[in-house]
Amino acid sequence: MLARAFSASILGLEAYSIEIEVDIASGLPAVVVVGLPDAAVKESKDRIKSAIKNSSFDYSTRRITVNLAPADIKKEGPSFDLPISLGLLAATGQLTSESLKDYIILGELALDGRVRPIKGALPIALSLRRGSRKKLIIPEENIAEAAVVEDVQVYGVGTLQEAVSFINGQSQLAPHKVNLDDILKGLSDYEVDFSDVKGQFSVKRALEIAAAGAHNVLMIGPPGAGKTMLARRVPTIIPDMSLEEALEITRIHSVVGLLPPAQALVTTRPFRSPHHTSSDIALVGGGVVPKPGEVSLAHNGVLFLDELPEFGREALEVLRQPLEDGSVTVSRLANTLTFPSRFLLICAMNPCPCGYFSAPRKECHCTPYQIQRYLSRISGPLLDRIDIHIEVPALEYKELTEEREGEPSEDIRRRVNGARDIQRERLRGERIHCNASMNQKQIKKYCRLDEDGKELLKMAINELGISARAYDRILKVARTIADLAASEEILPDHISEAIQYRSLDRNLWA
């Protein structure tokens, strides 16, 4: 007897439908799974056999053939356990076969019949909006993330018996609903705050400018100056996250399996801090079937690279395309997939191998050659994509013991939101939304200077040693500083402040 069930799988970040055909025929007892299954799918036959028996159903002892269509796409993961088992029960007459055609079914089975959570429930639910089937049966732990999609009926099941009883009409399950208003109240609700940071007013000002214009930042300072502490608080001042951004972030985290159980959406901007031993594949994504990497997990958030010169040269160079395009394309023999990667890059580094070059109270033991070799690990093309270089000095005792709290993130974010509103209005129709994304033509159009401003930039390049490649970066940052001041014109004060954020051009890299 032949039965059909329907499921779905993930390729990149997109879902596609899977038709599962289960045929029981005469012959020696055997289970054959075809349709390019991976090892996890092939092993499902053993999990299914135990789950069916331990759920008090009859397991067929005849020849069972399971086909996963389309047959030319590789099937991965254990999420087909539940639909295959339901198809098998339908083929043996223990389940109403006609009822299966209305549902997309996913779930991993435990040996005792419990249904375990899966990866990628949200992108699969999003794909149902374009298909003819609008009913989704998934594990209970995944119902919250799938239910945020409107026009899709999401049913959560905890066991194989519960799924069979529901499909046979012996029990009732109500579609799960979530209150998006309650979820959205948690947006921008962070555990850390800029009020925790003592001193470092100039660095906090630079990070505010970076958040306002989406400018990448490189912080240079001795160990213990607070670079990591500052970086961890940057997501708290990035503009308020919209529902669309939350869905994009959640979709990526769901595919990778980083979404906590029973959580509907990622409600705070991601902060990713990969170790400096991370490979280029770990950063941009990859694998036999490509998966998102750190640059995609940081989408709409912050990617923090601590000890930047310690990263491998190849790992740093692969960041250039994501920084330039806002997406990363991973090509393999079987597939070429594109993942989103619009993130704010925050880097931190010591000024020398020992960390105390130019420190006022500790002596640096590095030779000029060692310092230059250390700094040269960061290539010019990568440095060219970092708009702001800021020196982070060691804190004084008076600053450390000060009891007064710093300015809270909420107040800083309010100013950042105001600057972003100005940029969105100015760049309407330009297909970009922030100053950091402006190209040469847009810089000439929106970053015009008066004679005093031009003279100031000329002096910076000719006399202070500012590199020519920093010219456009200074103009972009100056435009953002003007937006924070609600000024239509870029004034000399804005340019002079932007110039001071090119520390490496001015001092170390020159």
Side-chain angles (χ1 to χ4, degrees):
M1 182 176 178
L2 177 66
R4 289 183 176 87
F6 298 90
S7 187
S9 188
I10 302 293
L11 185 61
L13 297 179
E14 300 297 328
Y16 60 96
S17 298
I18 298 291
E19 182 179 349
I20 299 174
E21 300 173 309
V22 181
D23 180 63
I24 298 179
S26 300
L28 294 174
V31 178
V32 179
V33 182
V34 296
L36 285 183
D38 71 348
V41 180
K42 290 178 180 178
E43 292 172 353
S44 66
K45 59 185 179 182
D46 298 314
R47 294 191 297 270
I48 291 169
K49 181 178 180 179
S50 296
I52 288 177
K53 287 185 175 181
N54 291 327
S55 299
S56 302
F57 296 109
D58 294 330
Y59 184 79
S60 176
T61 57
R62 294 191 292 172
R63 182 176 178 83
I64 302 170
T65 303
V66 179
N67 179 42
L68 307 176
D72 59 341
I73 301 178
K74 192 170 184 64
K75 318 302 185 304
E76 288 188 306
S79 61
F80 302 115
D81 290 2
L82 183 58
I84 291 175
S85 63
L86 293 176
L88 183 57
L89 293 175
T92 56
Q94 301 174 77
L95 179 66
T96 306
S97 179
E98 189 67 20
S99 301
L100 281 176
K101 68 179 183 180
D102 298 327
Y103 300 95
I104 297 293
I105 307 167
L106 299 107
E108 177 185 350
L109 285 178
L111 299 184
D112 60 357
R114 288 179 294 112
V115 182
R116 289 176 170 155
I118 58 156
K119 299 177 182 179
L122 178 59
I124 289 171
L126 290 169
S127 71
L128 263 60
R129 295 189 301 185
R130 304 187 297 269
S132 58
R133 294 178 179 84
K134 305 293 185 182
K135 297 180 180 180
L136 180 63
I137 297 178
I138 55 175
E140 290 177 332
E141 288 88 343
N142 297 116
I143 55 176
E145 61 173 299
V148 300
V149 182
E150 297 180 352
D151 303 325
V152 175
Q153 299 179 35
V154 181
Y155 301 92
V157 294
T159 64
L160 176 60
Q161 284 183 328
E162 188 178 352
V164 173
S165 178
F166 170 64
I167 293 174
N168 276 334
Q170 297 168 346
S171 64
Q172 297 295 321
L173 290 176
H176 187 75
K177 300 293 183 182
V178 296
N179 191 329
L180 281 178
D181 292 335
D182 290 340
I183 296 174
L184 294 176
K185 289 178 182 177
L187 295 178
S188 303
D189 186 12
Y190 297 89
E191 296 180 357
V192 296
D193 196 275
F194 260 101
S195 61
D196 305 329
V197 181
K198 303 288 186 181
Q200 303 293 15
F201 299 107
S202 62
V203 184
K204 287 190 281 188
R205 166 65 175 173
L207 294 177
E208 178 181 340
I209 295 168
H215 302 287
N216 300 319
V217 179
L218 175 59
M219 296 186 288
I220 311 105
K227 301 185 292 294
T228 301
M229 184 180 185
L230 287 159
R232 289 189 179 278
R233 283 153 179 78
V234 171
T236 68
I237 62 172
I238 297 179
D240 297 326
M241 188 162 60
S242 64
L243 176 60
E244 290 74 18
E245 288 178 315
L247 285 172
E248 287 180 351
I249 297 169
T250 306
R251 183 175 65 157
I252 298 170
H253 284 66
S254 176
V255 167
V256 180
L258 294 180
L259 192 66
Q263 181 172 331
L265 287 176
V266 176
T267 57
T268 57
R269 292 191 180 274
F271 178 86
R272 303 294 301 179
S273 180
H275 193 262
H276 60 76
T277 57
S278 299
S279 66
D280 51 347
I281 292 178
L283 288 178
V284 300
V288 178
V289 178
K291 300 292 184 183
E294 291 291 341
V295 297
S296 297
L297 291 172
H299 180 61
N300 289 331
V302 171
L303 178 66
F304 177 53
L305 301 183
D306 200 5
E307 303 295 343
L308 184 65
E310 301 298 334
F311 280 81
R313 186 73 177 228
E314 290 185 2
L316 291 179
E317 292 307 304
V318 297
L319 293 175
R320 288 160 57 179
Q321 183 209 355
L323 286 171
E324 193 74 24
D325 302 336
S327 62
V328 57
T329 300
V330 181
S331 297
R332 293 295 181 266
L333 183 62
N335 296 292
T336 298
L337 299 175
T338 300
F339 302 113
S341 60
R342 292 191 305 274
F343 56 88
L344 182 61
L345 178 65
I346 306 292
C347 303
M349 61 177 287
N350 297 328
C352 67
C354 77
Y356 296 107
F357 176 67
S358 73
R361 291 183 177 82
K362 290 196 177 182
E363 183 179 355
C364 174
H365 300 285
C366 303
T367 66
Y369 172 74
Q370 288 174 323
I371 295 174
Q372 187 60 35
R373 184 179 180 185
Y374 178 76
L375 297 176
S376 64
R377 294 178 185 176
I378 307 173
S379 68
L382 177 61
L383 189 66
D384 193 35
R385 289 164 172 81
I386 301 177
D387 296 349
I388 296 176
H389 312 155
I390 182 70
E391 295 182 55
V392 184
L395 286 174
E396 302 287 343
Y397 175 78
K398 181 180 179 181
E399 294 174 313
L400 284 171
T401 57
E402 187 177 14
E403 295 184 0
R404 186 183 62 177
E405 288 190 345
E407 187 178 20
S409 296
E410 185 178 357
D411 293 348
I412 302 174
R413 189 169 64 247
R414 190 178 298 115
R415 295 194 295 269
V416 169
N417 282 330
R420 282 290 183 97
D421 290 340
I422 293 173
Q423 292 169 51
R424 278 192 290 268
E425 184 64 28
R426 180 194 304 122
L427 300 172
R428 188 188 299 270
E430 297 280 3
R431 296 184 179 180
I432 59 174
H433 62 282
C434 58
N435 291 334
S437 302
M438 289 192 293
N439 56 31
Q440 289 282 347
K441 181 179 178 181
Q442 292 159 344
I443 291 173
K444 290 181 180 179
K445 182 177 180 180
Y446 300 117
C447 301
R448 295 177 179 175
L449 305 178
D450 57 16
E451 290 302 319
D452 291 339
K454 292 177 181 178
E455 283 297 317
L456 188 58
L457 263 180
K458 180 181 177 180
M459 181 187 69
I461 293 175
N462 293 336
E463 298 183 21
L464 297 182
I466 295 294
S467 65
R469 72 174 175 229
Y471 179 81
D472 289 344
R473 306 291 167 182
I474 291 174
L475 289 178
K476 291 180 182 181
V477 174
R479 179 68 269 173
T480 300
I481 296 171
D483 291 339
L484 280 168
S487 172
E488 293 186 8
E489 303 295 330
I490 299 177
L491 305 177
D493 289 346
H494 304 148
I495 297 173
S496 62
E497 183 177 0
I499 290 172
Q500 75 172 352
Y501 296 135
R502 300 298 301 184
S503 298
L504 297 184
D505 294 297
R506 192 172 64 247
N507 295 328
L508 303 177
W509 236 271

